[in-house]
Amino acid sequence: RKEVEQDPGPFNVPEGATVAFNCTYSNSASQSFFWYRQDCRKEPKLLMSVYSSGNEDGRFTAQLNRASQYISLLIRDSKLSDSATYLCVVIGDGSSNTGKLIFGQGTTLQVKP
Amino acid sequence: DGGITQSPKYLFRKEGQNVTLSCEQNLNHDAMYWYRQDPGQGLRLIYYSQIVNDFQKGDIAEGYSVSREKKESFPLTVTSAQKNPTAFYLCASSTGRLTGELFFGEGSRLTVL
C-alpha cells in the first residue's frame, strides 16, 4: 500500500460546480498535512495547510479525518483557473519518516466552460 | 525578488554522459531538496540537505550525487549509473526540515537520447 494515495482523476466539472478530492495516508502517526497545486508542466506551490479542526480559504476548504486517515479538499464555485493537479502532502512521523514530506501522485481537475 | 532558480530548463543528453543541474536560492533557507517527478507518480525525494556541507540520501539516490558547499547552492549530478534518468527534476528549499512549506524552482526537464 502506498503511503499517500490519491485518485488521479481526471475530474471533469463544469464552471460553478463543487468538487471534492480525498487523499488517504497509511501512517496513523502522521501529524502534518498539506495541499499543493501544480499547473501543467510547472512547479508545485503550497495551496493550504490542513488543520485538525478544518480550515477554509475563500472557495477552498480542507478537512482532516484522523479516524479514517484521510484528508479532503473541497472547491466551491469552480473557476476555469482552478484547472490543475492537486497534490496531497503528508509529513511522516515516527521511525525513518520523521519530518519527511511524502507526496501523493496528484489528482487532476479540469474545469470546463 | 527572492526565489529559487534552476537551470537549465530543458536538457538533452546522450546515454553514458553525466549532467549537472543547477539550483540556487536567495531565500536564506537552510534546507534544500531535490525531487524527481515522473508521469502519474508523486514527487520522489532524491537528496536533501539541512545545512551547508551536509546532505542525506532520499528514497531514490542511486545514480545521483549532490554537494552543498554554499548555503545558496545545491547542484545535482545525474550520473551515467542512473538507469532511467529522463524525468522532470525539481529543486526546493524550506526554512527547516519539519516545515511543510517548500518553495520550488521551475524545474529542469532532462531527456536522455
Side-chain angles (χ1 to χ4, degrees):
Chain A
R1 183 184 172 187
K2 290 183 181 178
E3 293 177 276
V4 178
E5 286 199 78
Q6 296 181 251
D7 180 348
F11 284 60
N12 294 303
V13 303
E15 266 188 295
T18 295
V19 62
F21 313 132
N22 280 348
C23 166
T24 59
Y25 60 94
S26 60
N27 185 351
S28 60
S30 299
Q31 294 296 319
S32 302
F33 310 89
F34 307 87
W35 284 102
Y36 276 70
R37 170 189 169 130
Q38 185 174 23
D39 292 314
C40 188
R41 301 178 76 83
K42 298 285 190 181
E43 74 276 19
K45 293 183 180 178
L46 180 66
L47 178 66
M48 58 197 304
S49 303
V50 186
Y51 302 124
S52 296
S53 55
N55 49 302
E56 190 174 306
D57 183 2
R59 296 181 294 108
F60 297 81
T61 300
Q63 293 197 313
L64 168 64
N65 185 319
R66 286 195 183 276
S68 300
Q69 293 181 212
Y70 74 85
I71 66 173
S72 64
L73 178 67
L74 179 79
I75 306 175
R76 289 182 299 278
D77 189 22
S78 300
K79 311 290 185 192
L80 295 175
S81 57
D82 293 334
S83 297
T85 297
Y86 292 85
L87 305 173
C88 168
V89 180
V90 174
I91 291 189
D93 201 3
S95 70
S96 61
N97 267 353
T98 299
K100 174 183 167 184
L101 274 73
I102 305 167
F103 286 79
Q105 74 267 45
T107 297
T108 298
L109 171 66
Q110 288 281 354
V111 181
K112 307 289 187 182
Chain B
D1 285 338
I4 299 182
T5 302
Q6 285 187 241
S7 64
K9 200 166 184 178
Y10 299 95
L11 185 62
F12 298 88
R13 83 152 210 223
K14 294 181 181 178
E15 278 192 27
Q17 289 180 334
N18 291 355
V19 62
T20 296
L21 307 180
S22 169
C23 178
E24 304 278 331
Q25 55 101 357
N26 60 3
L27 299 167
N28 200 32
H29 284 168
D30 289 314
M32 296 188 75
Y33 311 79
W34 274 105
Y35 288 90
R36 169 182 173 140
Q37 188 174 35
D38 295 284
Q41 295 197 41
L43 277 68
R44 291 184 290 168
L45 183 63
I46 304 172
Y47 269 98
Y48 66 95
S49 168
Q50 297 184 67
I51 56 172
V52 175
N53 292 322
D54 185 56
F55 49 82
Q56 308 295 330
K57 291 182 179 180
D59 299 317
I60 54 165
E62 185 175 349
Y64 299 98
S65 65
V66 293
S67 62
R68 187 86 186 274
E69 296 176 1
K70 299 187 297 182
K71 188 175 185 178
E72 302 80 18
S73 179
F74 192 41
L76 174 75
T77 297
V78 184
T79 75
S80 56
Q82 168 50 233
K83 300 300 181 192
N84 186 20
T86 296
F88 186 44
Y89 291 89
L90 287 157
C91 179
S93 71
S94 70
T95 55
R97 176 106 171 93
L98 297 180
T99 177
E101 183 166 17
L102 297 183
F103 294 82
F104 286 89
E106 292 186 337
S108 294
R109 201 166 292 274
L110 172 64
T111 302
V112 174
L113 304 172

